[in-house]
Every structure is written in C-alpha cells, then in structure tokens.
Amino acid sequence: MKYTLLLLFMLSSLYGAELILTGTVISNNQKMIPARYMGYVKKIHFEVGDSVEREDTLFELESAEFDILESQADLALEQAKLMVDVYQTRLNVYKNRKKRLKRDRKLMSASNYRADMEEMSDSMDNVTASIESAQVLVEQVSEKTKQFATIAGYLKIKAPNNGILVDKRIQVGDMVAPGMLTMILVDMDHLEVEAEVAESDLKYVRRHKVVRIKIPSLNYKASGYIKAIVPSANPMAHTFKIRVHFEKTSDMIFPGMYAKVFVDLTNEIVNKI
C-alpha cells in the first residue's frame, strides 16, 4: 500500500517536471550588406531602425572612374552602330547600281558589262565584309556596356529581403571598398529562440520536440519546436546550443530579447520508471 501511494505521488509530481532553459530571441535571416564596388557614398536612403522592403535602394555610390569608362563604352557603341549604318547604306547603293547595270546591259558591250559586273561584285563583297566586321564590333562593345550596366547595379546597393536596419557603418562621403561591411539588416518575420542546454540534459532534447517559450518582459507565451541542435559544445561550460522555432504573433518581439524555453520531461522520466 505504501509503495502504491509513493508511486502515485511520484507520478503526480512528474507531470509538472520541466527542464527550463534560458535563451535569446534571434533572427534566422540576418544579412550583412557589403559594398561590391569601390567608390564614395553619395546618398543614404535609410537610417538605423527603419523598415525596408526587398529591392529598396539602401545607399548609392559614385565613382568618377566608372562614369568615364561608361561614357567611353557608350560612345564606342554609337560609333560601331554608325559604321554599320554607313556600310549598309553603301551596300544599298551598290545594289541599286547593279540593278541599273543589268537593266542597261543591252547598251553595253559584253566585255564592258562583264568588267563592270566583276568590279561591282568585288565592291559589294568588300562592303559586306566590312558590315560583318562592324557588327562583330557592335556585339563586343554591347557586351562591355552590359558589364558596365552590371557595375552600375553595384553602385546602388539594394535590400536582399524585408527587414529592419539594425546597424549602419557608413556616412555620406565615406569611401568604401569591395567586401567592406556597410549595413546589417535583420528579418523580423523569421525569429527563433537560441538557448543553451547542459551536456547532462542533452538527452532530454531532440529535433522537432514541442516546447513552450516565454518572453518575460512582454509576458508573451507561445509553443514551438526544437528546430536544430548545434553539434558543437562549449568546451568551458560543456553546453550545446539549440534553436527553437515559433510563430511570431506580436510586433513587439525583437532580436536580443531574453527568453525561456520549457521542455516537458514527463515522458522521459516515466519511461525510466
């Protein structure tokens, strides 16, 4: 009888058993915005704390060197197209002369007609070859202008996704280099809780296990699941990191907030009994 009562008492207490982990709200989609071209910052469109949408221009660069090269490429393209037009006009002239020559064939001797036709054909072949060369030049210069158009895109740095600008490390007039960190953008729609679990408690957590979370400062409660267990221990504290996914239902939740994760231990302990 005593054993039965003791067992019932233990089972009733187990239903309240939980592993409580402390963690922090983080964004699952934080972007480091680098510069992709060297130049001076010409204009900044957003400040820290501003909300941005995908493809919004965050800031613009200016580069005198790029402007000169772009102008040269545009001028070369116009000249190449003009050459094609000139040679095409000359070819049309030769075609019209050839038609008139055929029409006036009866008025000419056979030898003169044959000599004029050969000369006309040679001229047309030369002009046709010139047109082909000019068209190749147009294609080459067009590719170069496309490259400059791509670089022009680098001069306008756009947001890769929706989010909030949490860090800005440039000012108007600053020079930036390729790869230099300029801004940090945080996606506020994909938040998670990152917590640490002791090595001895690692046996109680597993991927996809449903847990409860709480953000004390907001008295916010929600359910989620363990999305990942990071397989790298802290050698000093012997802890592992876990990521908990939850559905955000409040606009007041921000990365960096203190959070608690409650892991139900009922099934694990009961199984041992």
Side-chain angles (χ1 to χ4, degrees):
M1 182 66 179
K2 291 182 179 180
Y3 176 77
T4 302
L5 291 175
L6 179 62
L7 180 61
L8 291 174
F9 175 77
M10 291 176 61
L11 289 175
S12 63
S13 63
L14 288 176
Y15 284 100
E18 288 182 318
L19 174 64
I20 303 177
L21 307 175
T22 60
T24 305
V25 178
I26 63 171
S27 173
N28 189 36
N29 188 18
Q30 179 172 291
K31 292 293 194 306
M32 307 293 183
I33 311 297
R36 302 180 66 180
Y37 192 77
M38 180 174 289
Y40 291 96
V41 178
K42 180 172 65 175
K43 186 180 296 184
I44 299 176
H45 297 278
F46 295 94
E47 296 296 331
V48 173
D50 289 345
S51 297
V52 302
E53 296 183 359
R54 176 178 169 81
E55 295 300 321
D56 281 348
T57 299
L58 300 176
F59 64 94
E60 300 178 33
L61 300 177
E62 60 181 358
S63 173
E65 177 186 0
F66 170 78
D67 293 339
I68 294 173
L69 294 175
E70 185 180 31
S71 299
Q72 291 176 346
D74 291 339
L75 180 59
L77 181 59
E78 291 299 324
Q79 290 175 342
K81 289 181 178 180
L82 181 60
M83 288 175 59
V84 172
D85 293 338
V86 169
Y87 286 128
Q88 188 63 54
T89 301
R90 187 175 300 177
L91 181 61
N92 292 335
V93 171
Y94 284 131
K95 287 181 178 180
N96 292 331
R97 289 181 181 177
K98 190 173 184 179
K99 288 180 181 179
R100 289 197 300 268
L101 188 61
K102 289 181 178 180
R103 188 174 61 246
D104 299 336
R105 179 177 183 179
K106 294 180 180 180
L107 303 177
M108 303 173 61
S109 64
S111 59
N112 289 338
Y113 174 77
R114 187 166 51 253
D116 289 347
M117 286 295 290
E118 289 178 357
E119 182 181 356
M120 192 71 64
S121 296
D122 291 341
S123 298
M124 291 178 65
D125 291 342
N126 291 334
V127 174
T128 301
S130 298
I131 291 176
E132 293 175 354
S133 298
Q135 288 174 338
V136 171
L137 182 60
V138 168
E139 293 177 0
Q140 293 175 346
V141 179
S142 295
E143 287 298 323
K144 184 172 291 187
T145 56
K146 289 179 182 178
Q147 294 176 2
F148 282 116
T150 302
I151 297 176
Y154 296 164
L155 298 180
K156 290 186 177 182
I157 311 301
K158 298 183 180 294
N161 54 261
N162 298 349
I164 290 182
L165 194 64
V166 299
D167 193 7
K168 178 174 70 70
R169 303 187 180 185
I170 54 173
Q171 299 292 337
V172 173
D174 289 349
M175 171 174 274
V176 298
M180 175 180 169
L181 179 61
T182 60
M183 294 179 173
I184 299 178
L185 185 66
V186 170
D187 183 356
M188 299 297 294
D189 295 327
H190 299 86
L191 300 182
E192 296 178 351
V193 172
E194 184 177 79
E196 290 193 352
V197 56
E199 183 178 345
S200 58
D201 294 328
L202 195 61
K203 57 182 176 291
Y204 299 129
V205 300
R206 62 180 181 275
R207 289 187 62 192
H208 307 301
K209 181 173 183 177
V210 177
V211 296
R212 295 186 301 110
I213 69 165
K214 181 179 180 180
I215 301 177
S217 60
L218 301 177
N219 197 27
Y220 179 85
K221 299 178 181 179
S223 62
Y225 64 88
I226 299 175
K227 178 181 177 181
I229 302 174
V230 182
S232 59
N234 183 333
M236 301 299 294
H238 297 284
T239 58
F240 289 77
K241 289 183 179 181
I242 64 172
R243 290 284 189 90
V244 177
H245 172 81
F246 70 99
E247 294 297 331
K248 174 187 171 185
T249 58
S250 171
D251 292 334
M252 295 303 296
I253 301 177
F254 298 100
M257 283 186 165
Y258 173 74
K260 289 185 177 181
V261 179
F262 299 88
V263 182
D264 185 14
L265 302 182
T266 303
N267 291 334
E268 281 75 5
I269 299 179
V270 169
N271 289 337
K272 290 184 176 181
I273 297 178

